[in-house]
Amino acid sequence: MLLPGLLYFLVFKYLPMWGMLIAFQKYQPFLGIMGSEWIGLAHFERFFGDSDFWMLFRNTLMLALYNIVFFFPLPIILALLLNELRLEAFKRTVQTIIYVPHFISWVVVIGICYTLFTTQDGIVPHLMASAGMKPVDVLQSSDWFRTAITSQVIWKESGWGTIIFLAAISGVDPQQYEAATIDGAGRLRRMWHVTLPAIRSTIIILLILRLGSFLDTGFEQIFLMLNSLNREVGEVFDTYVYTVAIQQGDYSYSTAVGLFKSLVGAILVIAANYGARKAGEDGIF
C-alpha cells in the first residue's frame, strides 16, 4: 500500500534533485549535466549582487507574511465556528459552499477578479461611480496588489483548509466539554479552554509545514495578476525564475535562484521545529 506513494515521491521529488547540480555549472543542454562546465558559486554571487535581488526578496517576503498573518488563522477560526453549528444539514451546506472555491482554477479566479474590478466595465467600479465615489483601480495599482493577492487566496483556500482542523476537533474528548459545561463555561469559554488547547499541536505542525513553503507565493496566480504597473511590488522569486529560465533560457541561473529559495524554506522549518520542541510541543521531527 505504501509503494505507490513511495514511487511518487521518488520519481517526482527526489530524482529531480539531481538537477540542482546545474546551479553550480554553466549548463549547456547538449552537453548534459556531466559534460557542462563547473563554475562553483558564480550564479549565486551574480544573484546576490543583482539590483533586483532585494526587490524580489522584499516582494516575496511581504506576500508570505500576508499569507501567514491574514490567511493562516482563518481556517482555524472557520473550523471553530463550524464545530459550534448544531444543525447538521446547515453545517454540511456551509462546508460544501466554502469548499467549492478550492476546485476553481486560478485562471478562472483571476478572470472573476477582472470581471469585478476592471476599470473599463467592471461591476465594482461601476457601482462605485454610481454611488458618486471615485473608482479604485485594483488590478493596476501597486498599492492594492498584495491585498488583492491575499484576498484571492483567502477566498479560494480558507474553506479547504478547515478539513484538517475539523478532523482534529472531532478527536477532542466529549467529556472535556461536559466538564467545562458543568463548571459554567459557555461556548466561547469551551472553545478557548478546551478546543484550542486540544488542537494546538495540529496548529503548530501545520504552521511549521507552512514555513517550509514560506517563500512559495504561487506562480500561476501572481503571473496572471502581473502587469507593467504593479510589477515593482508583484515580481517574486517564482515569476522571476520563469522569466529567466523559460523566456531567457538561463537554466543554471534560475536553478540557483530556486535553490536559494528552497534553502531558506529548509532553514525556517528547522528553526520553527526547534522552537516548537523547546516550547514543549511535538515537532515534525
Side-chain angles (χ1 to χ4, degrees):
M1 293 178 65
L2 286 173
L3 186 60
L6 292 174
L7 287 175
Y8 168 79
F9 279 97
L10 177 64
V11 174
F12 295 104
K13 302 295 183 179
Y14 287 98
L15 289 181
M17 288 185 181
W18 177 256
M20 290 191 303
L21 292 176
I22 69 175
F24 308 95
Q25 296 178 327
K26 187 176 181 181
Y27 177 68
Q28 300 292 335
F30 60 88
L31 293 177
I33 294 178
M34 301 309 297
S36 298
E37 177 187 355
W38 293 87
I39 59 174
L41 300 177
H43 292 305
F44 294 94
E45 294 173 356
R46 170 189 166 191
F47 178 51
F48 295 140
D50 196 324
S51 58
D52 290 336
F53 171 76
W54 289 111
M55 179 196 73
L56 295 169
F57 189 76
R58 181 186 68 248
N59 294 343
T60 306
L61 183 64
M62 289 301 298
L63 286 174
L65 289 174
Y66 270 51
N67 282 332
I68 291 292
V69 174
F70 297 109
F71 167 67
F72 183 77
L74 280 181
I76 304 172
I77 296 172
L78 281 175
L80 293 172
L81 295 176
L82 287 171
N83 185 59
E84 295 300 319
L85 295 178
R86 295 293 174 259
L87 190 60
E88 193 65 27
F90 179 67
K91 179 179 179 179
R92 293 185 179 277
T93 302
V94 172
Q95 284 180 281
T96 302
I97 292 173
I98 63 177
Y99 289 169
V100 167
H102 171 77
F103 299 99
I104 301 176
S105 71
W106 278 118
V107 175
V108 176
V109 172
I110 303 305
I112 294 172
C113 189
Y114 269 81
T115 301
L116 290 174
F117 294 104
T118 181
T119 54
Q120 295 180 351
D121 52 2
I123 297 173
V124 174
H126 178 72
L127 292 175
M128 293 179 68
S130 300
M133 302 170 62
K134 183 180 179 180
V136 178
D137 193 353
V138 174
L139 300 176
Q140 299 187 30
S141 172
S142 58
D143 296 332
W144 285 90
F145 181 82
R146 291 166 183 155
T147 302
I149 292 293
T150 307
S151 300
Q152 290 168 2
V153 174
I154 289 172
W155 178 78
K156 189 175 186 295
E157 301 296 345
S158 290
W160 187 254
T162 62
I163 294 176
I164 294 178
F165 296 110
L166 286 172
I169 291 173
S170 66
V172 180
D173 188 353
Q175 293 182 356
Q176 296 186 28
Y177 291 114
E178 295 172 4
T181 303
I182 293 173
D183 289 339
R187 284 193 174 189
L188 289 177
R189 287 288 184 179
R190 294 197 298 269
M191 187 186 300
W192 184 259
H193 293 288
V194 178
T195 309
L196 274 177
I199 66 172
R200 183 172 56 189
S201 61
T202 303
I203 294 174
I204 291 174
I205 289 174
L206 290 178
L207 178 59
I208 294 173
L209 294 175
R210 171 71 63 175
L211 289 175
S213 57
F214 184 70
L215 297 182
D216 290 334
T217 50
F219 164 74
E220 184 178 3
Q221 177 196 14
I222 295 177
F223 182 75
L224 292 171
M225 287 289 290
L226 276 179
N227 55 60
S228 58
L229 297 178
N230 60 26
R231 190 170 298 276
E232 188 66 25
V233 297
E235 188 82 76
V236 295
F237 287 130
D238 292 326
T239 55
Y240 184 72
V241 167
Y242 169 81
T243 301
V244 173
I246 305 303
Q247 296 185 353
Q248 299 178 11
D250 196 342
Y251 301 111
S252 294
Y253 181 62
S254 62
T255 302
V257 177
L259 182 57
F260 164 76
K261 190 184 74 170
S262 300
L263 288 175
V264 172
I267 292 171
L268 288 173
V269 167
I270 294 171
N273 187 78
Y274 177 80
R277 296 186 69 86
K278 279 293 183 180
E281 299 293 334
D282 293 330
I284 58 175
F285 55 87

